[in-house]
Amino acid sequence: MGSDPQYARYPDLSLAQDVFHLTNTASSKTVQQTALRTLQDAIAEHKMAALYRYLAHPEDGILNGSGEGSAQKGSNGLPKKQTPAGTTIASRKAADRIDFPWDEKLYGSLQVDNEKELEVLAKEEEDAAEKAGETEIQAARGKRAEFWARTGDKDKAIESYEAVFEKIGVLGTKIDLILAIIRVGLFFGDKVLVKKNVDRAKVLVDSGGDWDRRNRLKAYEGLHLLTVRSYNIAAPLLLDSLSTFTSYELCTYSSLAIYSVLAGSVSLKRVDFKSKVVDAPEIKAILGHAEEKLSAISGALSAGPGAGDQDMQDASTATPVPAATAVNLTTLGQANKGQAEVEAPVDFSPLTKLVGSLYTGDYQSFFVALAAVEENFLSQDRYLFEHRGWFVKEMRLRGYQQLLQSYRVVGLGSMASDFGVSIDFLDRDLAKFIAADRIPCTIDRVNGIIETNRPDDKNKQYTDVVKQGDALITKLQKYGQAVRLRGSERG
């Protein structure tokens, strides 16, 4: 199994979500006030001088509208070093109205406390060097790295983690250090840093990492892939992480379930969507009916291709799905139970309706659920916010494709009625996908029909063979000419 994870406490990624809420116009006033209070309390409690400056400084702070320009100068008279905000803030325009005042006296007090703590850490490191061995020295250096991660100093935290990494020989600890650097990158929205260290962690895990760290890395990589819009690659990683999730330092189990369902819904083929999302025990434990949740706990549910198809109802006769709240049922009775209990309840009903209506073909309910998912999830999560428009567009496309692939000709008015939209909207929306070759069909507005152009697989294969054969013959002819030319030169 390997040793217990180390360096997993800091940084606290929930604070980055609070910063996001402060700059998100879609967040309610109540949520923003709670986020502000939580952030101020954390800064005071954990002596986060560096984070306080990063957020609120009149010249350097990312929440200060006047401090955003690249030509601005810092307090030392030099040009400010711009730190990529990435997914940390939702809107720079919203920074002007944020009530996050700069208190020079508070900042000075935090700095004094930080200096005192650094002196204690330095003394501990010196004592370890004089009286103890290399293990104790590296443990003291690790505390310094965690100090910088806790207080919000990105550059010094990474530098300190790297210094410990260079001296540590234990593979598990090395992986934990890289995961800590990834979290620092996620906190500050640095996608380049995260990508680089995810690749480093994969190399280390493949060289002999234990089972637990291998599974934790799946969640880390999946979350990173969401931020760069690689939902098709992220989906299997996130879905696999559900049954073995222990990375509570990364996100809550409820959040992981949301990410998994959304990634699977937009990217998986219908058969895989059925087995890995619709019928997956871990998903049913969150989104399912009360009976399905109990079955998921007891192991009575089994996911697989075609599982439960005999019980599928027609869209017109399907009964509404009741709201589901977040309960990490897969971790009851385990060591991490305490962490699961601190999760705030979440109304999963929009997500439940989205999955159910997409699979059963209830497209009008699907569009309504998609709008609710955008409002309640995509617009409220800093990892999903950036690509929310793309996600909604791709899900609309998926609904159109699923309906059109079943028919040769569809009435424009009938399809508009099925989706609960106007004919003009459907015409404009489909036209964009048709022009981009995303949907093989044509719209006959005069006759009010949509005609699908299904490619003939045999003809397509024949055409591909002819094209590839012509290309191969051309290359062989050029090669033959070159060989003959060289032969004549030798003669």
Side-chain angles (χ1 to χ4, degrees):
M1 182 67 181
S3 59
D4 292 335
Q6 302 178 59
Y7 308 106
R9 188 174 179 183
Y10 303 111
D12 184 353
L13 292 178
S14 66
L15 295 179
Q17 178 67 25
D18 290 328
V19 175
F20 169 82
H21 279 310
L22 290 179
T23 59
N24 184 15
T25 55
S27 297
S28 66
K29 287 293 183 182
T30 302
V31 170
Q32 290 184 331
Q33 290 170 0
T34 302
L36 178 61
R37 207 161 40 243
T38 302
L39 198 57
Q40 290 175 327
D41 291 345
I43 289 173
E45 179 183 354
H46 298 294
K47 316 299 181 185
M48 306 172 78
L51 182 64
Y52 184 46
R53 181 186 179 90
Y54 174 75
L55 296 176
H57 194 272
E59 295 175 350
D60 302 319
I62 65 169
L63 298 184
N64 188 310
S66 64
E68 294 170 6
S70 58
Q72 298 282 339
K73 298 198 179 237
S75 55
N76 57 1
L78 299 174
K80 291 193 311 178
K81 181 179 179 182
Q82 295 297 305
T83 304
T87 55
T88 306
I89 63 175
S91 171
R92 290 191 177 276
K93 293 181 181 180
D96 293 330
R97 61 180 180 79
I98 295 173
D99 184 19
F100 198 79
W102 172 258
D103 186 335
E104 190 69 42
K105 183 177 179 181
L106 172 62
Y107 179 66
S109 174
L110 294 174
Q111 280 191 310
V112 170
D113 291 335
N114 286 172
E115 289 170 1
K116 290 180 179 178
E117 188 170 349
L118 283 171
E119 290 175 2
V120 173
L121 292 173
K123 182 67 167 59
E124 183 178 341
E125 191 173 334
E126 290 174 4
D127 291 343
E130 293 176 1
K131 304 175 184 178
E134 188 65 23
T135 301
E136 289 75 13
I137 295 174
Q138 296 309 319
R141 290 175 178 171
K143 290 181 180 180
R144 180 186 293 271
E146 287 195 303
F147 164 82
W148 292 121
R150 189 195 81 211
T151 56
D153 194 317
K154 174 187 172 185
D155 295 333
K156 290 183 179 179
I158 295 172
E159 181 183 352
S160 299
Y161 280 130
E162 292 286 4
V164 178
F165 180 88
E166 292 299 325
K167 299 293 184 179
I168 286 289
V170 181
L171 180 59
T173 305
K174 281 180 173 286
I175 296 172
D176 291 338
L177 287 164
I178 298 301
L179 294 182
I181 294 175
I182 292 173
R183 291 197 308 280
V184 172
L186 288 171
F187 188 98
F188 290 96
D190 192 337
K191 297 175 185 176
V192 175
L193 175 67
V194 174
K195 173 66 169 65
K196 173 186 173 183
N197 284 281
V198 164
D199 292 340
R200 290 174 69 189
K202 289 167 69 175
V203 172
L204 291 173
V205 167
D206 290 341
S207 67
D210 59 73
W211 177 86
D212 178 62
R213 288 179 174 87
R214 187 179 299 273
N215 283 305
R216 289 174 63 211
L217 180 58
K218 286 183 182 179
Y220 277 73
E221 184 179 7
L223 189 55
H224 162 65
L225 290 169
L226 287 185
T227 66
V228 295
R229 201 191 286 180
S230 296
Y231 277 58
N232 58 325
I233 308 175
L237 293 172
L238 293 172
L239 289 165
D240 286 347
S241 301
L242 282 172
S243 60
T244 57
F245 182 69
T246 56
S247 303
Y248 290 95
E249 75 281 0
L250 184 66
C251 64
T252 64
Y253 188 86
S254 299
S255 296
L256 183 72
I258 293 169
Y259 302 147
S260 302
V261 171
L262 293 176
S265 298
V266 78
S267 64
L268 294 179
K269 294 181 179 179
R270 184 171 172 82
V271 173
D272 293 332
F273 178 61
K274 166 71 170 171
S275 62
K276 296 182 179 180
V277 178
V278 177
D279 284 342
E282 294 81 14
I283 301 298
K284 284 197 172 186
I286 293 290
L287 305 184
H289 300 283
E291 297 82 1
E292 291 173 330
K293 291 180 180 180
L294 292 174
S295 298
I297 298 174
S298 63
L301 287 177
S302 61
D309 274 343
Q310 68 276 12
D311 297 326
M312 292 302 299
Q313 295 180 328
D314 185 80
S316 61
T317 61
T319 56
V321 180
T325 53
V327 181
N328 184 358
L329 298 175
T330 61
T331 59
L332 291 176
Q334 297 182 8
N336 289 312
K337 180 178 67 174
Q339 291 170 294
E341 289 175 347
V342 302
E343 296 185 26
V346 178
D347 181 8
F348 285 102
S349 57
L351 209 55
T352 303
K353 293 174 183 175
L354 181 76
V355 171
S357 58
L358 176 61
Y359 187 75
T360 59
D362 184 0
Y363 298 111
Q364 187 166 346
S365 297
F366 170 66
F367 264 30
V368 173
L370 181 59
V373 165
E374 180 183 13
E375 179 181 353
N376 296 320
F377 297 107
L378 302 179
S379 297
Q380 301 297 325
D381 188 282
R382 72 189 191 99
Y383 299 120
L384 304 173
F385 182 86
E386 184 178 1
H387 305 298
R388 66 195 185 285
W390 170 87
F391 180 89
V392 171
K393 183 188 72 174
E394 290 297 310
M395 290 300 286
R396 292 203 315 270
L397 172 63
R398 177 151 198 173
Y400 296 149
Q401 289 174 331
Q402 184 169 290
L403 185 145
L404 290 172
Q405 70 183 1
S406 303
Y407 302 97
R408 183 75 174 83
V409 177
V410 181
L412 189 60
S414 174
M415 183 171 175
S417 178
D418 285 344
F419 282 93
V421 297
S422 67
I423 293 177
D424 289 338
F425 173 85
L426 182 63
D427 188 7
R428 291 193 305 269
D429 209 26
L430 283 176
K432 299 173 187 176
F433 296 121
I434 294 171
D437 291 329
R438 303 293 302 278
I439 300 179
C441 69
T442 55
I443 300 175
D444 184 347
R445 189 65 187 268
V446 175
N447 295 315
I449 61 172
I450 303 170
E451 186 174 359
T452 58
N453 305 317
R454 299 184 184 179
D456 189 326
D457 289 339
K458 289 186 177 180
N459 287 337
K460 185 176 183 301
Q461 291 173 1
Y462 174 77
T463 303
D464 291 342
V465 169
V466 171
K467 288 182 179 179
Q468 294 171 4
D470 287 342
L472 179 60
I473 291 173
T474 301
K475 289 181 180 179
L476 289 174
Q477 288 175 343
K478 291 181 179 179
Y479 176 73
Q481 291 174 358
V483 169
R484 284 197 300 273
L485 181 60
R486 292 195 184 100
S488 63
E489 289 173 353
R490 285 197 297 270

